[in-house]
């Protein structure tokens, strides 16, 4: 079994959700600063054209397979991933782990008030959880210093950054070594789900791999972005044909 696989040139760790949590614990305790990315098919399509984004993703300490499309692609390409590690599930499990072990979390990004609501929701589900702080902030370079000062003062063990891709991943990459935080994770729209601002697809739809369809139904303005999904499928199938040739 491969420990990591490459999908269209993007490295993805072949890891289960439980293993991802163990790896994150290891990263918290090794004394350095680490970047975690949660890769979905949209990331892979964006990174085909954006060399900087590709470099950030491939340079991350942990690259989690978020999105059923990646599992499909990994099977088509003959190197199957074991499990999907969805961003919002990861945030929830991470909060459980943090509550048990005494790690503190800082929630950065999402719309006004959303990070604070997400923090309250996590606290209600994981009593004893330490929230070092929340801040909506912005991914603009001009705002970096202000945010870094706030986070350094709060000194969390884990920083969740919800600015959407690729902004959140660039943000983490350029600030990682100024923050003094062991683990920084780009979590996309996860805080919207965790806070209850946006409803998640019911379990039966998630199990059928139809979360994207539910998202399209409740957030129809995403249709243009979601065209990246058939584009992704096309690129994977084309790469499969080249593999065979
Ligand atoms: N966001 C933000 N600041 C910005 C742009 C986006 O805080 O300048 C937040 C937005 O409110 C949302 C998240 O970033 O909570 C991105 O969510 P989206 O669903 O687009 O991300 P995905 O999971 O698809 O990467």
């Amino acid at each position: 079994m491969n420990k990591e696989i490459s999908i269209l040139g993007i490295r993805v760790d072949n890891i289960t959700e439980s293993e991802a949590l163990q790896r994150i614990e290891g990263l918290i305790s090794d004394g350095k600063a680490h970047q975690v990315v949660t890769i979905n098919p949209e990331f892979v399509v964006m990174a085909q054209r954006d060399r900087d984004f590709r470099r950030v993703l491939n340079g991350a300490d942990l690259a989690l397979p978020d999105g059923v499309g990646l599992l499909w692609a990994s099977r088509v390409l003959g190197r199957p991933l074991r499990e999907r590690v969805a961003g919002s599930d990861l945030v929830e499990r991470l909060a459980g782990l943090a509550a048990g072990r005494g790690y503190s979390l800082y929630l950065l990004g999402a719309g006004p008030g959303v990070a604070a609501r997400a923090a309250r929701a996590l606290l209600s589900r994981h009593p004893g959880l330490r929230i070092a702080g929340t801040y909506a902030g912005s991914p603009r370079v001009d705002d970096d210093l202000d945010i870094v000062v706030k986070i350094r003062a709060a000194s969390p063990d884990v920083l969740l950054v919800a600015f959407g891709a690729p902004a959140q991943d660039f943000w983490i990459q350029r600030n990682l070594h100024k923050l003094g935080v062991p683990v920084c994770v780009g979590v996309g729209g996860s805080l919207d789900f965790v806070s209850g601002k946006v409803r998640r697809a019911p379990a039966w739809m998630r199990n059928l791999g139809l979360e994207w369809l539910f998202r399209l139904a409740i957030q129809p303005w995403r249709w243009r972005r979601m065209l990246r999904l058939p584009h992704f499928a096309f690129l994977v199938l084309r790469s499969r044909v080249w593999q065979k040739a």
Side-chain angles (χ1 to χ4, degrees):
M1 184 194 60
N2 300 316
K3 280 193 158 171
E4 56 180 50
I5 68 164
S6 168
I7 296 183
L8 303 173
I10 305 303
R11 187 184 67 77
V12 181
D13 284 294
N14 189 6
I15 197 170
T16 65
E17 191 179 66
S18 303
E19 288 167 356
L21 288 168
Q22 280 171 21
R23 285 276 293 279
I24 289 174
E25 262 204 285
L27 298 178
I28 292 174
S29 56
D30 87 354
K32 297 189 204 118
H34 305 275
Q35 176 161 16
V36 179
V37 292
T38 51
I39 297 187
N40 66 30
E42 288 184 37
F43 284 48
V44 176
V45 172
M46 282 189 265
Q48 300 304 299
R49 293 213 176 155
D50 185 337
R51 282 173 54 198
D52 292 334
F53 189 38
R54 193 156 69 228
R55 207 171 299 131
V56 169
L57 295 180
N58 284 337
D61 298 282
L62 187 57
L64 300 174
D66 182 358
V68 70
L70 288 190
L71 264 73
W72 168 81
S74 71
R75 285 197 300 270
V76 169
L77 297 170
R79 296 178 297 270
L81 285 164
R82 287 152 69 205
E83 191 171 291
R84 173 183 180 201
V85 184
S88 32
D89 292 333
L90 180 80
V91 170
E92 202 66 54
R93 295 271 315 262
L94 204 50
L97 174 80
R101 298 277 205 272
Y103 303 136
S104 61
L105 304 184
Y106 194 109
L107 277 44
L108 172 66
V114 174
R117 271 166 61 194
R120 283 197 293 277
L122 289 174
L123 270 169
S124 72
R125 293 193 284 266
H126 306 282
L129 175 65
R130 286 166 53 215
I131 298 287
T134 65
Y135 187 46
S138 104
R140 291 177 45 227
V141 174
D142 291 352
D143 294 333
D144 281 8
L145 182 62
D146 168 48
I147 300 177
V148 168
V149 167
K150 281 191 168 58
I151 293 172
R152 283 192 71 90
S155 183
D157 297 299
V158 178
L159 171 65
L160 306 180
V161 185
F163 288 143
Q168 64 194 14
D169 308 289
F170 284 127
W171 190 95
I172 293 175
Q173 194 252 351
R174 68 176 184 268
N175 291 298
L176 186 64
H177 296 289
K178 302 175 206 152
L179 292 164
V181 176
V183 174
C184 300
V185 192
V187 294
S190 298
L191 299 188
D192 293 340
F193 293 118
V194 168
S195 67
K197 181 180 169 232
V198 177
R199 254 184 71 205
R200 236 188 131 189
W204 68 266
M205 279 189 100
R206 299 207 299 267
N207 293 339
L208 286 175
L210 294 176
E211 189 153 21
W212 60 273
L213 184 61
F214 184 84
R215 233 175 156 184
L216 187 60
I218 60 166
Q219 300 179 315
W221 64 89
R222 297 174 76 94
W223 71 270
R224 196 184 284 277
R225 275 178 56 176
M226 291 183 79
L227 286 179
R228 293 205 186 104
L229 296 177
H231 188 186
F232 176 74
F234 168 76
L235 294 174
V236 170
L237 292 170
R238 191 179 65 176
S239 152
R240 172 74 182 136
V241 170
W242 284 347
Q243 253 181 20
K244 279 192 168 169

